Amino acid sequence: MTRFDPGRLITPQTIALAAVLIFNWLLFPGFFSVEWKDGRLFGSLIDVLNRGAPVAILAIGMTAVIATKGVDLSVGAVMAIAGAVAASAVEAGLSVWVAVPLALGAGLACGLWNGVLVAVLDIQPIIATLVIMVAGRGIAQLITQGFIVTFNDPALIFIGTGSAFGLPMPVLIAAALLILTTLAVRRTALGLLIEAVGVNRSAARFSGISAMSLLLLVYVFSGFCAAVAGVIVAADIHGADANNAGLWLELDAILAVVIGGTSLLGGRFSIHMSVLGAIIIQAMNTGILVSGFRPEFNLIVKAGIIIAILVLQSPVASWLFRRGRE
Amino acid sequence: MNRSLRPLAATAVIFLLAYGAAALQFPGLFSTRVLGNFLTDNAFLGIAAVGMTFVILSGGIDLSVGAVIGLSGVLVAVMISWLGMPPLIAFALTLTIAAAFGAAMGAAIHWLRVPSFIVTLAGMFLARGAASVISPDSIPIHHAAYDWVSQAYWKMPGGGRLSLIGALMVMVFILGAVLAHRTRFGANVYALGGNAASAELMGVPVSRTTVLIYTLSSTLAGLAGIVFSLYTQAGYSLSAVGVELDAIGAVVIGGTLLTGGYGFVAGTFIGVMLMGLVQTYIIFDGTLSSWWTKIVIGVLLFMFILLQRLVFRAQAARD
């Protein structure tokens, strides 16, 4: 394994995160204060991690999908479905040990559906996942019968608002997923195979990689991640809102992956950088809120960041950069 | 029959069958009144879908459509209600801004060489954010000419009302069909969607065509925003959220191939009508909840994607 090199920590993403955090600190001097209260940590930084956890979890699944040259637009709707299943199940008297697996199962099923459309029927990923993006919220409303299903099950609520080891549960779940996924893709050949499919699917198939089962796997995994995020969001607000749970979060997740430097054209990917991207997005959201700007500015700032990244990654910029060095 | 017209014919037959089945159950559906309402209620969606057809024909996608509709509605409302401009000048200014916005997105897609998906996503955030910053609240429009235009209609035989905005949508579809199938620009769009590399080698002006395609899409979205503000008599930054998905759905259901290079503007018209039919049927039925609209449209989308896939796979096997 490579030796740890502190220089590798300096990337555009970490510089961006530091800049956003310092900016927040200038606007709100108490930003970095973290205190220990009632057996857990409190503070704006912890809040950023806690609020950013759902998008970070989506981004983990989305990175795998984008690495295969795909995209999963359905994750927001899958979140709504998973939240609706979990809430309806505990309201029907089932234990949380049944409700959560049911919700995760719903996410796996949606992921499998997407995977079959992309891998077996060979449909463009944007369009294949559009079907659940459009129909998914309708299905979630069908499950909740159009109501916002609220619940008081303490075990389910714990997933969204509880804490362990001093950290909020969503942060711990996101961290666990990040570590497990990173181990799975970097300590085995899985990551390499995913990259091979993303760079050139036919070439990967000719070299003996089962591209079809790998594609199925990444979409199922993305559906699973979306379901985890959906359960967390539902548990956090003690209810399942089929219309608004996870609304537009697919775009945030894609943005997190792009900020993390994974190319939308497939191939090279980095899961921890995507998670960092999600944290940068949330730090910006929090910064705009604490600075007293109207939340509407959020969208404009996000658009500005996408444009800046696109310009920096474009061939024009790299050509200028090369010429400057010569 | 020309073989390339088959998917269009399939869509038309499915629409007629669905309409016939629905009309058998509810004879009231089969009247010019319902037809007139179809056109009026879906006018803004139809106009936006024409622009989306060109984008998808060229192999791209435009996610900013709904946000541009919201932004233009707010701009029109601000210019008329706050600044006291005459509506026609407000319309012209709004369409110019929308066109410039689309041209900028097209230029970014071509020269930065990034997927249209991500550029128009930034455009969506930007337009929606700008609209919300201008006014987070709905701005009502009170203007004598505005009231007249939004009420104007032509009485069709059978008591149906063909409203001015409904007629405008039909006109945009006709002009769009002529532009796509009878002009050099249209031929360039198809060439670009079929294969961008060979289009460039054949001498298609790729940069100009790309910029024009997104300019057209945003201009039509701006027009749709004006129509939407006529329809609701207000401009609201959060209006038309998710209309880009409906527009993409209408284009797909209309038989246009999502990889680009194949499709018809007329198919999109049938797609819009089919989506309107689903909504009207659910309203007529009365016992079905509103969420069935989303599910049925999702199922339709899936069926048509599958149909396209099978048709083109069979064709590829024959060739």
Side-chain angles (χ1 to χ4, degrees):
Chain A
M1 268 324 276
T2 47
R3 201 162 41 87
F4 179 74
D5 173 13
R8 276 176 53 198
L9 280 179
I10 301 172
T11 62
Q13 288 83 8
T14 49
I15 296 170
L17 180 61
V20 172
L21 291 178
I22 290 170
F23 188 69
N24 288 354
W25 176 66
L26 290 176
L27 290 167
F28 179 65
F31 190 77
F32 285 117
S33 71
V34 173
E35 55 179 333
W36 182 271
K37 213 160 50 182
D38 303 332
R40 58 167 284 193
L41 293 165
F42 279 93
S44 297
L45 278 180
I46 305 295
D47 204 46
V48 167
L49 292 178
N50 194 13
R51 298 272 147 234
V55 172
I57 292 169
L58 292 181
I60 293 172
M62 189 70 82
T63 309
V65 172
I66 288 181
T68 64
K69 216 178 198 167
V71 73
D72 187 351
L73 293 182
S74 72
V75 289
V78 173
M79 280 178 72
I81 293 177
V85 169
S88 307
V90 292
E91 271 311 279
L94 293 172
S95 115
V96 73
W97 298 106
V98 182
V100 171
L102 272 178
L104 298 183
L108 291 174
C110 292
L112 185 64
W113 166 270
N114 288 332
V116 167
L117 291 192
V118 173
V120 181
L121 297 173
D122 205 14
I123 293 166
Q124 260 179 298
I126 292 187
I127 305 314
T129 55
L130 186 69
V131 174
I132 292 190
M133 187 184 183
V134 172
R137 288 191 186 279
I139 295 169
Q141 279 174 319
L142 188 68
I143 295 167
T144 63
Q145 288 299 309
F147 297 107
I148 296 179
V149 178
T150 55
F151 51 83
N152 292 311
D153 187 281
L156 186 53
I157 289 172
F158 183 79
I159 296 175
T161 57
S163 63
F165 314 113
L167 284 171
M169 278 307 281
V171 177
L172 291 174
I173 295 171
L177 253 175
L178 170 64
I179 293 166
L180 289 176
T181 316
T182 309
L183 285 179
V185 297
R186 292 302 173 213
R187 292 298 167 123
T188 70
L190 195 59
L192 190 69
L193 299 181
I194 289 175
E195 285 178 0
V197 172
V199 171
N200 191 329
R201 189 170 157 188
S202 340
R205 208 178 59 241
F206 287 134
S207 58
I209 298 171
S210 171
M212 196 187 272
S213 42
L214 262 175
L215 281 172
L216 275 175
L217 178 74
V218 294
Y219 284 93
V220 168
F221 178 61
S222 176
F224 173 78
C225 289
V228 173
V231 171
I232 289 176
V233 167
D236 187 29
I237 62 166
H238 303 192
D241 182 349
N243 275 320
N244 296 314
L247 195 61
W248 307 124
L249 283 196
E250 55 277 342
L251 301 180
D252 275 7
I254 295 168
L255 182 57
V257 175
V258 173
I259 291 178
T262 298
S263 164
L264 282 167
L265 302 173
R268 200 163 49 103
F269 70 99
S270 162
I271 286 178
H272 60 273
M273 279 301 180
S274 301
V275 171
L276 200 61
I279 296 171
I280 293 175
I281 294 174
Q282 186 55 43
M284 269 169 19
N285 290 349
T286 308
I288 286 168
L289 280 178
V290 296
S291 62
F293 276 119
R294 295 221 310 267
E296 288 86 27
F297 278 99
N298 226 331
L299 287 172
I300 295 190
V301 172
K302 265 189 211 168
I305 289 187
I306 303 182
I307 292 165
I309 291 171
L310 292 183
V311 171
L312 286 175
Q313 286 184 345
S314 69
V316 182
S318 62
W319 178 74
L320 284 176
F321 186 64
R322 265 204 309 276
R323 214 176 55 155
R325 279 222 289 214
E326 272 162 16
Chain B
M1 191 176 79
N2 188 342
R3 223 172 69 188
S4 68
L5 284 172
R6 268 182 205 165
L8 181 65
T11 309
V13 167
I14 289 173
F15 172 72
L16 289 178
L17 284 179
Y19 193 35
L24 271 183
Q25 197 180 350
F26 303 109
L29 266 174
F30 196 67
S31 70
T32 52
R33 265 170 215 262
V34 171
L35 196 71
N37 287 346
F38 261 19
L39 296 178
T40 310
D41 295 342
N42 295 302
F44 72 100
L45 173 61
I47 293 171
V50 172
M52 187 68 85
T53 311
F54 280 87
V55 173
I56 292 181
L57 278 176
S58 77
I61 201 136
D62 187 353
L63 295 180
S64 70
V65 166
V68 172
I69 293 177
L71 176 62
S72 352
V74 169
L75 285 177
V76 167
V78 164
M79 287 180 202
I80 295 174
S81 291
W82 291 1
L83 306 177
M85 285 187 191
L88 281 180
I89 295 179
F91 291 169
L93 271 176
T94 303
L95 288 179
T96 315
I97 294 171
F101 190 77
M105 289 196 299
I109 290 165
H110 181 74
W111 277 290
L112 297 182
R113 311 224 174 256
V114 267
S116 53
F117 173 76
I118 198 87
V119 171
T120 54
L121 177 64
M124 167 181 165
F125 285 152
L126 202 61
R128 195 63 83 183
S132 311
V133 167
I134 293 171
S135 167
D137 306 312
S138 174
I139 310 167
I141 303 173
H142 299 294
H143 195 280
Y146 231 72
D147 295 344
W148 181 82
V149 171
S150 58
Q151 301 297 325
Y153 63 88
W154 173 70
K155 210 165 178 93
M156 287 185 287
R161 291 172 174 188
L162 178 61
S163 64
L164 196 68
I165 56 176
L168 181 68
M169 170 180 87
V170 175
M171 228 166 69
V172 169
F173 265 105
I174 293 169
L175 289 178
V178 171
L179 188 63
H181 308 302
R182 285 284 171 269
T183 65
R184 177 163 302 203
F185 170 71
N188 289 343
V189 173
Y190 277 92
L192 205 58
N195 188 329
S198 39
E200 185 147 25
L201 291 174
M202 281 195 308
V204 171
V206 174
S207 54
R208 197 180 68 199
T209 310
T210 308
V211 171
L212 279 178
I213 289 166
Y214 290 89
T215 309
L216 178 69
S217 174
S218 282
T219 311
L220 285 176
L223 184 63
I226 292 171
V227 165
F228 196 72
S229 76
L230 282 164
Y231 183 61
T232 58
Q233 305 256 346
Y236 182 34
S237 58
L238 290 181
S239 59
V241 167
V243 165
E244 55 278 352
L245 296 182
D246 292 339
I248 295 170
V251 173
V252 175
I253 291 173
T256 298
L257 201 63
L258 280 150
T259 41
Y262 176 87
F264 298 94
V265 175
T268 304
F269 183 73
I270 302 174
V272 171
M273 289 293 104
L274 196 55
M275 290 171 91
L277 178 68
V278 172
Q279 267 163 17
T280 313
Y281 179 83
I282 283 167
I283 293 167
F284 262 67
D285 184 273
T287 59
L288 290 172
S289 313
S290 64
W291 52 80
W292 282 104
T293 317
K294 288 178 193 162
I295 298 179
V296 172
I297 289 175
V299 170
L300 278 176
L301 204 58
F302 171 66
M303 274 172 39
F304 278 91
I305 295 170
L306 208 61
L307 191 77
Q308 280 189 1
R309 201 68 229 161
L310 296 177
V311 166
F312 277 86
R313 196 172 264 182
Q315 230 167 38
R318 237 193 343 256
D319 289 343

